[in-house]
Amino acid sequence: METLSKKIHNKPQRPIKIMQFGEGNFLRAFVDWIIQNLNDNGAINSSVAVVQPMPMGRVADLAVQDGLYTVRLEGIDKGEKVKKSQIIDVLDDYINPFTDYEHYLSYGESEDLQIIISNTTEAGIAFDPTDTDFSQCPKSFPGKLLALLKRRYDHFKGDMSKGLAIIPCELIDYNGEELYKCLTKLAENNGMDKAFIKWMQTANHFTSTLVDRIVPGYPRNEIEAIREECGYIDNNVVKGEIFHLWVLKKEEYVQKVFPADSAGLNVIFADDIKPYKQRKVKILNGSHTAMVPVAYLCGIDTVGEAVNNPTIGKFVHDFIFDEVNPTIDLPQDQMVAFATSVIERYRNPYIRHELMSIALNSTTKFRTRLLPTLEDYVRKEGKLPYHLVFAFAALCLFHKGKRGCDDIALKDDPALLAHWKQMWEECGSDYLKFAREALSWKEAWEMDMNTIHPDLAKTVAGYLKAMEQKGMRAAVEEFVNG
């Protein structure tokens, strides 16, 4: 069996109009898959130069297969189980700027280049005041991008028509605006020419985005079966779910050069991405965080097991539809459709999503994913969202560190874990005292949650008592069915 390459796949020749910072699983299974479909539908005609943002990376592995790899999509689509494979042939240059900095910078002089796309993790868009030597490859992603833009400005003598569409996909709020601010601060920190800074700010077109697709990555346990099905060896296969969503803030130039919403994909150019961000964080991420301590303390280990359990499944469903949906300002039909798709995604039989992987940093995740819903629901409805409060009580018990006789491998900031332990040691079975202490923990929640509703502490205490005295399974059965 041959390895996937141009020998066995006819790879089209296209101009490189897109530079992509990042070569990881998500970009390849999401952005490059979308670019492939845009090419195949005639919406664009572009290949991609992929830049390795860190000294250690995989651009060399991609080059061995001529940039060709397979995206394997598996999941539930309209109630039907789906498995499909697609060869992605859009990658056409593989750049390690740490070993060939000039080759990277030469793209600043490209007449074809129009678009920059990035996903360098949430920490990637950050100002590094030590990034000052552009004679060699800068350490940070903003430093690398700034060096490229400076080369472009110099080569084209400040031509305003040579700006680029800059589309970050990092999972931070208003990522386009944050990258713009970071580049400006870095340029000013380095004493760069004011005319260049103005060109960078006005000739280039920054847009904020929201991305959504679960991408487990290389399907190690299924690779032999996939090879037999495809008829070739592919060491860069990447597995993803069927569902995908890309929301981009409307920007005229970006829509012109990258009409990603024109090929029948779930891509939206929106006046404001905030409601979509709220929808994803509150429903998808929020229900993950609410589900974990409840399901895990019931002896369940994965998302699929949780939603397919009649009791936990109903708990998650009712939390989303009854408590989260009412707090988001989008049309009801859109909310129902998205919430239904989330439940369907959770039932994907081809993805094993461990609850303990979601539990990482769960204290902070409660603050960012669930606390806004708690506040918004009380403000709007004038009462407590009881599923969410039950989930908070379960989070408290989860941080006691025991599931039956087994220790829970808690993973969080050591200072936060130490405080959870201290609260349990000091309060013992005085659940009301514990609830008041936990809710007033400003270092964790950035507020005193006791102020949200007068009955919150009493309700948390009641749930904690039931969980400890009856066991989590009995407590959640009583809550859901009682």
Side-chain angles (χ1 to χ4, degrees):
M1 191 178 291
E2 286 201 57
T3 299
L4 180 60
S5 70
K6 288 192 286 189
K7 289 182 180 179
I8 63 173
H9 178 83
N10 183 24
K11 185 177 181 180
Q13 291 298 305
R14 312 180 188 96
I16 294 178
K17 299 179 183 179
I18 302 170
M19 174 175 277
Q20 173 179 301
F21 286 85
E23 77 286 30
N25 292 325
F26 181 80
L27 279 176
R28 293 189 298 114
F30 183 79
V31 170
D32 295 328
W33 174 83
I34 286 175
I35 293 169
Q36 180 73 46
N37 282 277
L38 292 173
N39 277 321
D40 291 347
N41 282 275
I44 64 171
N45 179 40
S46 177
S47 286
V48 176
V50 58
V51 179
Q52 183 174 299
M54 302 295 289
M56 299 298 293
R58 57 178 304 126
V59 292
D61 295 333
L62 297 173
V64 166
Q65 293 186 182
D66 299 317
L68 300 168
Y69 65 93
T70 309
V71 166
R72 176 78 167 185
L73 300 180
E74 299 179 347
I76 306 295
D77 189 19
K78 298 179 179 65
E80 299 292 324
K81 292 183 179 180
V82 177
K83 287 187 178 184
K84 54 185 178 183
S85 299
Q86 181 179 6
I87 293 176
I88 306 300
D89 59 26
V90 302
L91 303 185
D92 212 29
D93 198 3
Y94 325 96
I95 305 167
N96 183 344
F98 298 92
T99 58
D100 197 349
Y101 186 42
E102 179 54 35
H103 176 47
Y104 162 70
L105 287 179
S106 69
Y107 272 92
E109 303 176 7
S110 169
E111 292 279 359
D112 291 326
L113 189 66
Q114 296 178 326
I115 301 162
I116 300 287
I117 296 174
S118 68
N119 189 0
T120 56
T121 79
E122 291 92 320
I125 299 179
F127 169 64
D128 183 350
T130 68
D131 238 348
T132 57
D133 183 5
F134 291 165
S135 66
Q136 57 185 352
C137 183
K139 294 173 289 183
S140 69
F141 160 55
K144 294 179 186 68
L145 180 54
L146 186 62
L148 183 83
L149 293 175
K150 183 62 166 62
R151 171 66 72 92
R152 193 166 186 83
Y153 171 81
D154 291 342
H155 179 76
F156 290 109
K157 298 180 174 56
D159 187 339
M160 293 294 290
S161 70
K162 298 301 182 182
L164 303 172
I166 299 176
I167 309 172
C169 299
E170 288 80 0
L171 296 177
I172 60 174
D173 288 340
Y174 301 107
N175 45 25
E177 295 174 29
E178 289 302 312
L179 182 55
Y180 171 95
K181 293 174 187 175
C182 189
L183 288 168
T184 299
K185 190 174 182 180
L186 188 59
E188 291 173 346
N189 183 67
N190 283 284
M192 289 184 162
D193 180 14
K194 290 183 179 179
F196 162 68
I197 295 175
K198 184 177 181 181
W199 176 87
M200 180 186 71
Q201 295 172 326
T202 56
N204 296 281
H205 309 268
F206 297 81
T207 190
S208 291
T209 70
L210 169 70
V211 296
D212 189 5
R213 167 172 269 175
I214 297 170
V215 178
Y218 185 74
R220 193 171 307 280
N221 297 334
E222 309 162 58
I223 193 61
E224 292 302 326
I226 292 173
R227 285 175 178 173
E228 288 298 320
E229 180 183 319
C230 294
Y232 54 75
I233 296 168
D234 182 357
N235 296 312
N236 295 316
V237 177
V238 58
K239 180 178 175 179
E241 65 170 338
I242 297 292
F243 179 89
H244 65 283
L245 172 66
W246 198 358
V247 183
L248 302 93
K249 192 171 189 303
K250 284 182 179 177
E251 206 289 338
E252 186 177 357
Y253 181 80
V254 174
Q255 291 174 264
K256 176 183 175 183
V257 300
F258 193 61
D261 59 342
S262 61
L265 302 171
N266 195 14
V267 180
I268 299 167
F269 282 97
D271 292 318
D272 183 7
I273 67 171
K274 185 177 180 180
Y276 297 94
K277 171 80 172 178
Q278 286 183 330
R279 186 177 71 175
K280 175 181 181 286
V281 171
K282 284 186 170 184
I283 294 180
L284 179 68
N285 304 119
S287 61
H288 266 159
T289 299
M291 176 197 312
V292 166
V294 177
Y296 190 76
L297 292 174
C298 284
I300 293 170
D301 293 321
T302 70
V303 171
E305 292 174 79
V307 294
N308 286 318
N309 177 282
T311 304
I312 305 299
K314 186 175 189 313
F315 178 89
V316 173
H317 177 278
D318 293 350
F319 163 71
I320 293 173
F321 281 84
D322 296 345
E323 297 179 1
V324 182
N325 279 10
T327 71
I328 301 172
D329 187 21
L330 282 172
Q332 184 64 20
D333 59 336
Q334 291 186 26
M335 294 302 304
V336 169
F338 183 80
T340 302
S341 76
V342 166
I343 300 293
E344 190 173 69
R345 294 165 73 185
Y346 288 167
R347 291 202 169 102
N348 187 343
Y350 305 114
I351 292 178
R352 180 178 175 84
H353 202 170
E354 298 283 347
L355 294 176
M356 284 304 293
S357 70
I358 304 169
L360 178 68
N361 298 326
S362 55
T363 307
T364 300
K365 285 177 178 175
F366 180 89
R367 174 173 56 78
T368 58
R369 299 176 174 187
L370 291 174
L371 181 52
T373 298
L374 175 59
E375 292 186 283
D376 291 345
Y377 186 90
V378 171
R379 187 182 304 115
K380 184 173 182 179
E381 304 293 333
K383 61 183 180 179
L384 289 170
Y386 291 105
H387 291 76
L388 198 160
V389 178
F390 189 94
F392 177 75
L395 181 73
C396 294
L397 187 59
F398 179 82
H399 280 92
K400 200 169 186 179
K402 286 285 187 180
R403 181 168 77 163
C405 298
D406 298 327
D407 291 333
I408 299 174
L410 300 171
K411 293 182 180 179
D412 210 325
D413 183 304
L416 297 177
L417 293 179
H419 192 77
W420 279 114
K421 183 179 180 182
Q422 180 185 342
M423 286 191 294
W424 275 113
E425 289 175 347
E426 291 179 353
C427 299
S429 59
D430 188 338
Y431 300 113
L432 185 58
K433 179 182 178 183
F434 182 92
R436 286 172 176 159
E437 291 250 349
L439 291 166
S440 66
W441 187 8
K442 292 184 180 180
E443 290 80 5
W445 322 126
E446 298 181 352
M447 68 174 299
D448 181 350
M449 288 202 290
N450 286 290
T451 63
I452 294 175
H453 191 282
D455 294 334
L456 182 54
K458 181 175 66 176
T459 306
V460 171
Y463 291 149
L464 275 174
K465 183 177 181 180
M467 291 171 187
E468 286 238 283
Q469 295 185 356
K470 299 177 181 179
M472 179 59 81
R473 282 185 176 272
V476 71
E477 285 271 3
E478 184 177 279
F479 175 86
V480 169
N481 301 316

